[in-house]
C-alpha cells in the first residue's frame, strides 16, 4: 500500500483546534477523499465520544482525535485519544490500509495518551475509554478507593 496524503492544512488545523483551550472544538474525524489517496477533515465537534462516534460511517475507514477530561477535585487534566475505525461495511481492502496509513496520520496527530481501534461502534464505549485514559495517565489523587 502507498502512503496516504496528509498534506491538507485543514488536518493540522483541526488537530490544533482539538488541542487548544481557545476553541470549543474537542474532536475531529478524518476520512478519505473520493480518490482514496488523501485524507480530509470530515467532521468536528465539541461533544463527547458518542458524538464523535456518530460521525463515523459504517462503510468507511476513518481516524478520530478527541480531548477528554480526566482527573478529580485536585487536578483536572485534558488527555487525548486517537481512534482508528474500520466500519463493519468497509471493504477488506480499505481496512487493510489502516495499519499502513495510521503511521501517516500520526505525522499530524502526534500527541495522545491512548489509541483505540474499532470495527463496531460498541468498541468505543465512553466509560471503557475514560478508564483506559485514567490508567494511562498515572497519578489519580482520588478518594483512596481503587476500582
Amino acid at each position: 500500500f502507498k502512503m496516504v496524503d496528509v498534506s491538507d492544512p485543514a488536518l493540522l488545523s483541526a488537530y490544533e483546534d482539538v488541542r487548544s483551550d481557545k476553541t470549543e472544538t474537542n474532536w475531529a474525524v478524518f476520512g478519505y477523499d473520493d480518490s482514496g489517496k488523501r485524507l480530509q477533515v470530515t467532521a468536528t465537534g465539541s461533544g463527547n465520544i458518542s458524538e464523535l462516534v456518530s460521525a463515523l460511517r459504517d462503510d468507511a475507514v476513518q481516524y478520530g482525535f478527541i480531548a477528554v477530561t480526566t482527573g478529580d477535585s485536585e487536578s483536572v487534566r485534558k488527555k487525548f485519544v486517537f481512534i482508528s475505525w474500520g466500519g463493519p461495511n468497509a471493504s477488506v481492502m480499505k481496512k487493510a490500509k489502516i495499519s499502513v496509513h495510521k503511521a501517516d496520520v500520526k505525522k499530524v496527530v502526534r500527541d495522545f495518551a491512548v489509541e483505540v481501534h474499532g470495527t463496531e461502534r460498541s468498541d468505543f464505549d465512553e466509560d471503557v475509554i475514560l478508564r483506559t485514559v485514567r490508567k494511562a495517565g498515572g497519578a489519580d489523587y482520588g478518594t483512596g478507593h481503587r476500582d
Side-chain angles (χ1 to χ4, degrees), residues 10-128:
L11 296 170
L12 186 59
S13 177
Y15 167 76
E16 288 172 345
D17 262 3
V18 171
R19 293 191 51 81
S20 170
D21 292 327
K22 295 179 179 68
T23 70
E24 291 294 303
T25 305
N26 74 333
W27 64 262
V29 172
F30 305 153
Y32 295 86
D33 69 1
D34 293 338
S35 75
K37 294 175 174 57
R38 290 175 56 96
L39 275 189
Q40 61 191 7
V41 178
T42 55
T44 59
S46 56
N48 58 12
I49 291 169
S50 309
E51 185 182 281
L52 180 156
V53 170
S54 72
L56 299 174
R57 290 188 11 229
D58 283 347
D59 63 345
V61 165
Q62 292 167 293
Y63 306 91
F65 182 62
I66 186 166
V68 295
T69 305
T70 67
D72 49 50
S73 54
E74 298 295 314
S75 78
V76 173
R77 292 184 290 292
K78 198 154 85 162
K79 298 285 184 181
F80 301 94
V81 179
F82 174 62
I83 287 171
S84 56
W85 166 251
N89 305 334
S91 73
V92 172
M93 285 306 287
K94 282 182 182 173
K95 289 182 188 177
K97 292 178 185 172
I98 295 174
S99 59
V100 174
H101 289 179
K102 201 190 291 186
D104 297 320
V105 179
K106 288 178 182 175
K107 292 174 185 165
V108 177
V109 177
R110 293 181 306 273
D111 185 37
F112 49 89
V114 172
E115 181 176 328
V116 182
H117 176 71
T119 55
E120 298 288 338
R121 292 175 191 281
S122 58
D123 294 335
F124 302 117
D125 179 277
E126 190 128 14
D127 294 333
V128 172

